[in-house]
Amino acid sequence: MSLTKRSWAEPFKIKMVELLKMTTPEQREKAIKEAGHNTFLLKSEDVYIDLLTDSGTSAMSDQQWSGLMLGDEAYAGSKNFYTLEKAVKKFYGYKHLIPTHQGRGAENILSQVMIKKGDIVPGNMYFTTTRLHQELAGGTFVDVIIDEAHDSENLHPFKGNIDLNKLQALIKKHGAKKIPYVCVAVTVNLAGGQPVSMQNLKELRALTQEHGIKIMLDMTRIAENAYFIQQHEKGYSKKSIAAIVKEICSYTDGATFSGKKDALVNIGGFLAVNDQEIFEEASNLVVVYEGLHTYGGLAGRDMEAMAIGIEESVQDEHMKARIGQVLYLGEKMQEAEIPIVLPIGGHGIFIDAKRFLPHLKQDQFPAQTLAAALYVDSGVRTMERGIVSAGRNAKTGDHYYPKLELVRLTIPRRVYTQAHMDVIAESVERVYQDRKKIRGLKMVYEPKYLRFFQARFSKL
Ligand SMILES: *Cc1c(COP(=O)(O)O)cnc(C)c1O
């Protein structure tokens, strides 16, 4: 036995378990048919390992559960609001906090406050709810991510970076006045959880400052982004995740945050800004859409749990195990030569469905098809991030045809074991062996907004 090998393990032990229902392939065939071949429409009790999302699916710590008992459910001025405000100042450095029921609540308010009709909002690849709120506020989203992000085989270590030349061209074309802010996501969900480098953020800051354009962070997975900076960016290997997180925030003017990802809670979010005027306008709007500015749609106990989760999320040991588990699964798939997005991202493994099912055309929904097939094979629930998620162009009515057609295997935080990861990898391998037999889908019901959530399909 080699004495040099040292395995890592999770920096926690399990105190309570949730029993899972085991199903047969026949039961799963029936369930996916009833769900219109859309994994969003499956009942969760029919799912064995749920990789639909890492959103709101984390396991809270005993500290967070204890925090729930400290809930101060006063309508105004809850103690827990001040605890959360303190955590946001301490770990992120923003001056003003507005809690919201989740990330999209913050996106709605930020978009309404900052975007005027006809404005342009550049961003590093779109996120579904973010872009929709920008559009509903009268803005047009423009993707300014580097080209490498659209290539699932490109090994660039910071595929989330903004292409400053694209941004400069956009400023030249429309004028800085038409650009209220640049929306920077860390990490980039739809590119496969790819990080942004600190260098890129610094350069972006310099460029936007020249033109008086603000930077608003979508900081939903900021601690995961910080881990990649620590591991791969020169000058950061000895800095803590906490220090890197705070430095990222320092180059921006504010942020929207979904507590359901990094912050290890099941519900919650916030808008944080430095600018007093934006804060005041946002405070006016939050009472319309979310609730009073000291609870924003959350119970006091939720704010307490989120404050504790924020602190836990920036611990180096936590992040090493969190991303270590994702890497473990990704490396297993690479060994089996499954086409996945590389480098392996922060919150999940993204299978390239175009390369997995090359015999399907994109409008036969290869990623949707593959997600359904994986569920039938093993009860593992994944989701589509491709043509269905991309939606339609509002002007022409055509599908958007995104370059990336992916199936996302998102890993909840602190929920599954290494043995679960083995089961997942083996199921993907099995489906890969039989891939030639898989037929595509046609869409038989299409909702108007965010269609991927509720669309229904039948087999071709
Ligand atoms: C989840 C998510 C959001 C929206 O947050 P919700 O809490 O789901 O409303 C915004 N941006 C990114 C990158 C996300 O992953």
Side-chain angles (χ1 to χ4, degrees):
M1 198 180 109
S2 155
L3 290 175
T4 50
K5 182 175 177 210
R6 289 300 195 123
S7 297
W8 61 268
E10 291 79 0
F12 56 80
K13 58 184 177 175
I14 296 166
K15 193 182 299 228
M16 189 192 281
V17 297
E18 178 179 339
L19 300 182
L20 299 172
K21 184 172 108 181
M22 308 302 283
T23 51
T24 64
E26 293 71 35
Q27 286 169 327
R28 295 193 292 270
E29 279 284 3
K30 185 164 171 276
I32 197 74
K33 204 166 162 207
E34 282 172 10
H37 300 269
N38 184 346
T39 51
F40 275 103
L41 300 177
L42 287 167
K43 289 185 187 146
S44 101
E45 65 166 1
D46 294 331
V47 172
Y48 174 40
I49 302 175
D50 204 346
L51 308 182
L52 188 68
T53 173
D54 62 329
S55 178
T57 53
S58 301
M60 291 208 296
S61 67
D62 52 355
Q63 296 298 313
Q64 288 178 291
W65 280 105
S66 318
L68 294 186
M69 298 305 294
L70 301 176
D72 169 8
E73 308 306 342
Y75 190 89
S78 159
K79 249 196 259 176
N80 314 112
F81 167 78
Y82 297 102
T83 311
L84 180 60
E85 193 184 43
K86 217 161 112 189
V88 168
K89 279 193 183 145
K90 178 171 173 195
F91 294 104
Y92 305 136
Y94 295 121
K95 286 190 193 135
H96 307 291
L97 166 73
I98 294 180
T100 56
H101 77 286
Q102 57 185 86
R104 69 198 68 183
E107 290 169 350
N108 173 35
I109 292 168
L110 180 72
S111 301
Q112 289 206 36
V113 169
M114 293 195 67
I115 300 171
K116 292 188 305 295
K117 197 165 180 332
D119 277 352
I120 304 291
V121 189
N124 50 347
M125 203 174 267
Y126 80 99
F127 182 74
T128 52
T129 58
T130 319
R131 183 178 71 189
L132 183 55
H133 280 301
Q134 292 163 354
E135 289 172 352
L136 290 171
T140 302
F141 164 83
V142 180
D143 186 8
V144 292
I145 203 166
I146 56 173
D147 288 336
E148 286 87 339
H150 293 283
D151 173 0
S152 71
E153 290 173 89
N154 189 294
L155 292 176
H156 193 298
F158 292 101
K159 274 161 108 172
N161 279 356
I162 293 214
D163 185 329
L164 297 167
N165 292 326
K166 285 187 194 168
L167 181 59
Q168 203 137 30
L170 205 64
I171 297 171
K172 204 161 164 206
K173 184 168 167 205
H174 298 279
K177 284 217 163 62
K178 284 260 172 236
I179 303 177
Y181 62 92
V182 179
C183 177
V184 184
V186 287
T187 57
V188 182
N189 191 342
L190 271 78
Q194 302 295 330
V196 178
S197 72
M198 199 72 89
Q199 183 62 28
N200 189 245
L201 285 166
K202 285 187 205 169
E203 289 168 8
L204 176 69
R205 186 59 171 183
L207 175 63
T208 50
Q209 224 153 25
E210 234 175 79
H211 296 277
I213 297 171
K214 290 195 159 38
I215 300 175
M216 291 294 166
L217 212 51
D218 178 344
M219 65 185 292
T220 290
R221 294 185 184 80
I222 190 169
E224 291 176 4
N225 198 111
Y227 181 78
F228 286 106
I229 290 175
Q230 186 190 56
Q231 296 300 306
H232 302 302
E233 191 163 352
K234 212 170 138 238
Y236 287 92
S237 65
K238 297 224 162 60
K239 295 212 165 131
S240 66
I241 300 279
I244 297 170
V245 162
K246 197 135 180 206
E247 185 179 340
I248 293 173
C249 295
S250 76
Y251 301 125
T252 71
D253 300 287
T256 55
F257 184 71
S258 169
K260 302 173 69 173
K261 301 4 184 305
D262 263 3
L264 301 158
V265 287
N266 306 116
I267 196 74
F270 61 71
L271 170 64
V273 292
N274 288 331
D275 188 290
Q276 178 70 26
E277 243 173 78
I278 296 173
F279 172 62
E280 280 172 22
E281 277 192 51
S283 301
N284 290 339
L285 275 186
V286 74
V287 293
V288 181
Y289 293 102
E290 305 282 320
L292 195 70
H293 60 282
T294 55
Y295 77 85
L298 293 172
R301 55 179 175 268
D302 296 330
M303 292 189 280
E304 190 71 24
M306 185 155 62
I308 298 167
I310 286 170
E311 177 156 13
E312 290 178 0
S313 77
V314 300
Q315 303 307 313
D316 287 39
E317 284 305 316
H318 162 70
M319 205 40 77
K320 186 174 153 198
R322 155 57 174 167
I323 296 189
Q325 189 176 46
V326 176
L327 290 177
Y328 175 83
L329 176 61
E331 280 160 13
K332 287 220 136 202
M333 291 211 202
Q334 278 184 290
E335 279 163 29
E337 294 177 14
I338 308 294
I340 62 172
V341 175
L342 294 173
I344 294 164
H347 61 292
I349 304 301
F350 293 69
I351 300 175
D352 184 338
K354 278 188 189 170
R355 281 191 283 146
F356 197 110
L357 299 172
H359 56 288
L360 298 188
K361 292 197 301 252
Q362 198 168 8
D363 60 8
Q364 296 174 329
F365 310 110
Q368 190 80 30
T369 303
L370 178 54
L374 278 174
Y375 170 73
V376 172
D377 180 72
S378 58
V380 171
R381 170 155 71 172
T382 59
M383 81 140 133
E384 194 258 17
R385 273 292 179 236
I387 186 168
V388 184
S389 295
R392 288 182 191 273
N393 182 316
K395 285 203 190 95
T396 65
D398 295 334
H399 293 300
Y400 286 114
Y401 284 84
K403 280 197 190 132
L404 296 180
E405 176 73 24
L406 307 176
V407 171
R408 188 176 89 172
L409 288 74
T410 344
I411 313 300
R413 297 164 185 79
R414 308 192 294 206
V415 171
Y416 293 114
T417 65
Q418 201 147 308
H420 287 114
M421 298 302 121
D422 293 340
V423 168
I424 297 160
E426 287 158 20
S427 173
V428 173
E429 250 181 88
R430 163 49 71 85
V431 174
Y432 193 55
Q433 275 168 7
D434 292 342
R435 64 191 180 278
K436 296 212 170 78
K437 289 187 218 142
I438 297 175
R439 285 178 292 144
L441 297 170
K442 66 168 189 265
M443 204 188 299
V444 293
Y445 166 69
E446 180 171 352
K448 196 164 162 207
Y449 295 117
L450 302 176
R451 63 182 182 177
F452 58 95
F453 283 130
Q454 291 153 339
R456 300 183 71 85
F457 301 82
S458 68
K459 270 194 183 166
L460 279 176

